[in-house]
Amino acid sequence: MSLTILKEKENNILKRKEYVFETIHQGSTPNNETIKKAVAEATKTQEDNIVISKIHQVYGTQKIHIYSKKYQSPEDLKKIETINKKPKKAAEEKK
């Protein structure tokens, strides 16, 4: 997957860089893990420092816009970002 950087913004207060990428895909929209790997390769950083904020499919085309953030360290990421997804295993154990 080849990514094109549309926008890059340095945010020194939050110790991160904010990116907007564009890519063209074949078939279904790639999942978050695939996109996270591609963003990590494009920004030359580890996957632990990347957060995918939004994946926007351009209507009627195979283009997607990816909004992502690259933190300087995993500790900075944990201080600012919150994870809203609950693990699937915990939900299955309750049943």
Side-chain angles (χ1 to χ4, degrees), residues 1 10 14-15 18 29 43 45 60-61:
M1 177 184 304
E10 180 81 28
L14 298 176
K15 299 179 183 177
E18 299 165 3
T29 305
T43 58
T45 188
T61 65

mmCIF file of all heavy atoms in Angstrom, residues 1 10 14-15 18 29 43 45 60-61:
data_model
loop_
_atom_site.group_PDB
_atom_site.id
_atom_site.type_symbol
_atom_site.label_atom_id
_atom_site.label_comp_id
_atom_site.label_asym_id
_atom_site.label_seq_id
_atom_site.Cartn_x
_atom_site.Cartn_y
_atom_site.Cartn_z
ATOM 1 N N MET A 1 0.848 -1.167 0.000
ATOM 2 C CA MET A 1 0.000 0.000 0.000
ATOM 3 C C MET A 1 0.898 1.236 0.000
ATOM 4 O O MET A 1 1.739 1.388 0.871
ATOM 5 C CB MET A 1 -0.878 -0.019 1.263
ATOM 6 C CG MET A 1 -1.752 1.184 1.399
ATOM 7 S SD MET A 1 -2.725 1.243 2.923
ATOM 8 C CE MET A 1 -3.601 -0.278 2.872
ATOM 9 N N GLU A 10 3.016 19.747 12.867
ATOM 10 C CA GLU A 10 3.781 19.513 14.087
ATOM 11 C C GLU A 10 3.008 20.104 15.262
ATOM 12 O O GLU A 10 2.592 21.264 15.222
ATOM 13 C CB GLU A 10 5.157 20.181 13.984
ATOM 14 C CG GLU A 10 6.036 20.005 15.171
ATOM 15 C CD GLU A 10 6.742 18.667 15.169
ATOM 16 O OE1 GLU A 10 6.988 18.122 14.097
ATOM 17 O OE2 GLU A 10 7.048 18.176 16.267
ATOM 18 N N LEU A 14 1.620 18.752 22.482
ATOM 19 C CA LEU A 14 1.231 17.370 22.761
ATOM 20 C C LEU A 14 2.297 16.357 22.336
ATOM 21 O O LEU A 14 2.073 15.143 22.406
ATOM 22 C CB LEU A 14 -0.095 17.045 22.063
ATOM 23 C CG LEU A 14 -1.284 17.884 22.534
ATOM 24 C CD1 LEU A 14 -2.519 17.548 21.723
ATOM 25 C CD2 LEU A 14 -1.543 17.687 24.011
ATOM 26 N N LYS A 15 3.442 16.834 21.874
ATOM 27 C CA LYS A 15 4.571 15.993 21.466
ATOM 28 C C LYS A 15 4.165 14.982 20.405
ATOM 29 O O LYS A 15 4.365 13.775 20.545
ATOM 30 C CB LYS A 15 5.177 15.272 22.670
ATOM 31 C CG LYS A 15 5.726 16.203 23.718
ATOM 32 C CD LYS A 15 6.280 15.441 24.885
ATOM 33 C CE LYS A 15 6.753 16.382 25.960
ATOM 34 N NZ LYS A 15 7.234 15.674 27.134
ATOM 35 N N GLU A 18 0.749 15.306 13.341
ATOM 36 C CA GLU A 18 -0.552 14.903 12.821
ATOM 37 C C GLU A 18 -0.457 14.840 11.300
ATOM 38 O O GLU A 18 0.031 15.773 10.666
ATOM 39 C CB GLU A 18 -1.622 15.892 13.273
ATOM 40 C CG GLU A 18 -1.729 15.951 14.789
ATOM 41 C CD GLU A 18 -2.504 17.146 15.310
ATOM 42 O OE1 GLU A 18 -3.023 17.939 14.495
ATOM 43 O OE2 GLU A 18 -2.591 17.278 16.543
ATOM 44 N N THR A 29 -12.126 -1.969 1.964
ATOM 45 C CA THR A 29 -11.288 -1.016 2.687
ATOM 46 C C THR A 29 -10.364 -1.774 3.637
ATOM 47 O O THR A 29 -10.823 -2.647 4.373
ATOM 48 C CB THR A 29 -12.163 -0.039 3.497
ATOM 49 O OG1 THR A 29 -13.090 0.595 2.614
ATOM 50 C CG2 THR A 29 -11.327 1.019 4.181
ATOM 51 N N THR A 43 6.100 6.844 7.961
ATOM 52 C CA THR A 43 6.654 7.846 8.877
ATOM 53 C C THR A 43 7.953 7.387 9.531
ATOM 54 O O THR A 43 8.536 8.123 10.320
ATOM 55 C CB THR A 43 5.638 8.196 9.981
ATOM 56 O OG1 THR A 43 5.284 7.014 10.684
ATOM 57 C CG2 THR A 43 4.411 8.861 9.399
ATOM 58 N N THR A 45 8.624 5.021 11.856
ATOM 59 C CA THR A 45 8.530 4.911 13.312
ATOM 60 C C THR A 45 7.913 3.571 13.678
ATOM 61 O O THR A 45 7.488 2.814 12.811
ATOM 62 C CB THR A 45 7.699 6.072 13.895
ATOM 63 O OG1 THR A 45 7.795 6.039 15.310
ATOM 64 C CG2 THR A 45 6.258 5.994 13.477
ATOM 65 N N GLY A 60 -17.678 6.808 -3.929
ATOM 66 C CA GLY A 60 -17.662 6.452 -5.343
ATOM 67 C C GLY A 60 -16.289 6.169 -5.922
ATOM 68 O O GLY A 60 -16.153 5.985 -7.127
ATOM 69 N N THR A 61 -15.251 6.156 -5.088
ATOM 70 C CA THR A 61 -13.898 5.892 -5.583
ATOM 71 C C THR A 61 -13.221 4.844 -4.694
ATOM 72 O O THR A 61 -13.765 4.425 -3.686
ATOM 73 C CB THR A 61 -13.031 7.174 -5.562
ATOM 74 O OG1 THR A 61 -12.841 7.582 -4.202
ATOM 75 C CG2 THR A 61 -13.667 8.295 -6.347
#
